[in-house]
Amino acid sequence: MEVRKIAVLGAGLMGHGIAQVAAQFGKYQVSLRDISQEFIDRGMSMIRNSLQKFQSKGVISETEMNEILARIHPTLDLNEAVSDADLIIEAIPENVELKKKIFSEVDGLAPSHAIIASNTSSISITELGSATKRPEKVCGMHFFNPPQLMKLVEIIKGAKTSDETIETVKQVAQKMGKETVLVKKDCPGFIVNRILIPALNEAAALVWEGIADPEDIDKAIKLGLNWPMGPLTLLDYIGVDTILAITNVLETEIDPKFKACPLLKQMVRARLLGRKTGKGFYDWTKK
Ligand code: CAA
């Protein structure tokens, strides 16, 4: 199937970046939908900032920047966003009930040939597929933060996803300039988060147990393992609430050994979520 128009649902940290790479590298027509004008405006402003970075480095010209922006159509109207889309990429908050609701709504509004993909980090693709009458056209399309720079997309096959759906989504991801890996079984955390999240949880446990300071933990992993950023910086960067949500899914769905460190729970209760609230393991208001 040829994909011409993509709808991205959610203009947040991931959604804005996915919409941008679809319009920038994939040259697709993209509708970007969110539930409030404030979220749309913030998403479009993040896209403009990112495009300006590419422009200042000479990766794109000013004309190209304007052409990319013209391919992105922000909207509050779900029907307008998906009614002529060939591929819908959902990037709304990690809440299973919310996601199932939007999958069911989109199923009723999108053309019958359209594929519905989720950027979920941990929620069952099979369960999201079951909220629709087209589970063979539902799959996972998991981008990494920041989507504009990270090369990988995990493609996840739900229990009923067809091979044709996987092939189409793989071609779209490649057109967006991404490398793909196939997750053959729908298991929470897929590949990357199954390995990353326990590592971040352990970094938080080292702080909780008073074994080392955040700066030293990050320094150790950056210099000892050559990670581009330390695990606690990465935790702040992704969001402590997001990491806690994924850890909880790994614990309940795979094995109790993935139990979250109490510090993560405490930080979420105190709204110390990282960059997005200004404070987490580090103070971002001063950076
Ligand atoms: N758009 C365009 N350009 C951007 C950008 C954006 N959104 N963000 C940063 N850049 C550019 C900067 O302008 C900078 O350009 P120059 O080198 O020309 O100055 C360059 O990218 C590097 O940026 P920084 O100097 O700010 O910082 P950095 O060197 O540390 O690189 C990074 C940033 C690529 C994010 C790097 O730190 C990194 O790879 N970090 C790890 C990210 C990671 O692990 N992501 C996965 C998270 S897990 C996940 O997403 C899955 C999940 O489900 C939880």
Side-chain angles (χ1 to χ4, degrees):
M1 182 186 78
E2 200 195 338
V3 171
R4 290 202 182 88
K5 188 185 161 197
I6 296 179
V8 178
L9 308 181
L13 219 50
M14 297 303 292
H16 88 275
I18 297 169
Q20 181 185 332
V21 291
Q24 182 175 352
F25 300 103
K27 298 200 163 32
Y28 291 108
Q29 289 296 325
V30 180
S31 54
L32 177 59
R33 192 262 179 176
D34 213 318
I35 52 170
S36 82
Q37 193 58 43
E38 186 196 338
F39 295 160
I40 291 276
D41 291 346
R42 197 163 57 201
M44 288 308 292
S45 141
M46 288 191 281
I47 291 175
R48 272 189 289 274
N49 283 343
S50 171
L51 287 173
Q52 264 151 15
K53 283 185 183 155
F54 284 114
Q55 193 206 340
S56 68
K57 281 188 245 166
V59 177
I60 54 170
S61 65
E62 194 177 344
T63 312
E64 281 166 326
M65 180 166 98
N66 291 330
E67 285 167 358
I68 295 162
L69 284 168
R71 282 195 286 272
I72 304 175
H73 312 282
T75 178
L76 293 169
D77 184 340
L78 186 61
N79 186 36
E80 185 188 317
V82 306
S83 60
D84 59 348
D86 307 301
L87 168 64
I88 295 106
I89 306 176
E90 167 275 310
I92 69 168
E94 285 290 276
N95 174 314
V96 68
E97 292 313 319
L98 217 58
K99 284 194 197 268
K100 278 164 72 175
K101 185 166 175 280
I102 203 146
F103 266 68
S104 156
E105 280 170 17
V106 169
D107 189 34
L109 298 171
S112 58
H113 71 271
I115 292 173
I116 317 177
S118 176
N119 178 57
T120 179
S121 322
S122 56
I123 289 170
S124 164
I125 299 303
T126 306
E127 193 171 351
L128 296 179
S130 301
T132 73
K133 296 188 185 74
R134 59 178 98 189
E136 73 289 352
K137 292 195 171 69
V138 171
C139 70
M141 198 177 183
H142 186 218
F143 291 77
F144 291 82
N145 190 11
Q148 294 94 337
L149 303 182
M150 302 298 284
K151 289 302 271 182
L152 183 68
V153 174
E154 290 176 318
I155 297 177
I156 303 102
K157 204 170 187 303
K160 290 189 176 164
T161 312
S162 71
D163 291 339
E164 196 195 340
T165 296
I166 295 293
E167 192 47 41
T168 303
V169 164
K170 183 175 166 186
Q171 281 171 16
V172 170
Q174 286 171 348
K175 217 178 143 196
M176 289 182 188
K178 302 300 181 195
E179 294 280 341
T180 61
V181 289
L182 176 64
V183 181
K184 299 190 289 180
K185 261 192 192 170
D186 180 17
C187 184
F190 316 133
I191 299 172
V192 173
N193 281 340
R194 177 82 176 256
I195 294 168
L196 173 70
I197 302 298
L200 301 190
N201 193 40
E202 280 309 303
L206 286 173
V207 179
W208 180 246
E209 292 164 23
I211 290 166
D213 289 333
E215 289 78 4
D216 276 349
I217 296 166
D218 277 354
K219 184 175 173 183
I221 298 302
K222 274 176 79 175
L223 302 183
L225 291 178
N226 255 358
W227 285 27
M229 37 168 88
L232 299 169
T233 305
L234 189 55
L235 245 157
D236 273 1
Y237 189 75
I238 302 169
V240 180
D241 53 340
T242 303
I243 299 303
L244 178 63
I246 305 173
T247 312
N248 289 340
V249 175
L250 297 185
E251 183 195 356
T252 49
E253 298 270 330
I254 305 179
D255 194 303
K257 75 179 177 190
F258 293 109
K259 195 173 173 53
C261 166
L263 179 58
L264 295 182
K265 293 183 192 167
Q266 196 185 70
M267 289 176 74
V268 169
R269 288 187 189 122
R271 301 280 305 155
L272 296 168
L273 306 182
R275 263 191 336 171
K276 61 180 140 185
T277 55
K279 279 193 184 138
F281 287 92
Y282 297 98
D283 186 349
W284 295 85
T285 55
K286 295 190 185 126
K287 292 197 182 196

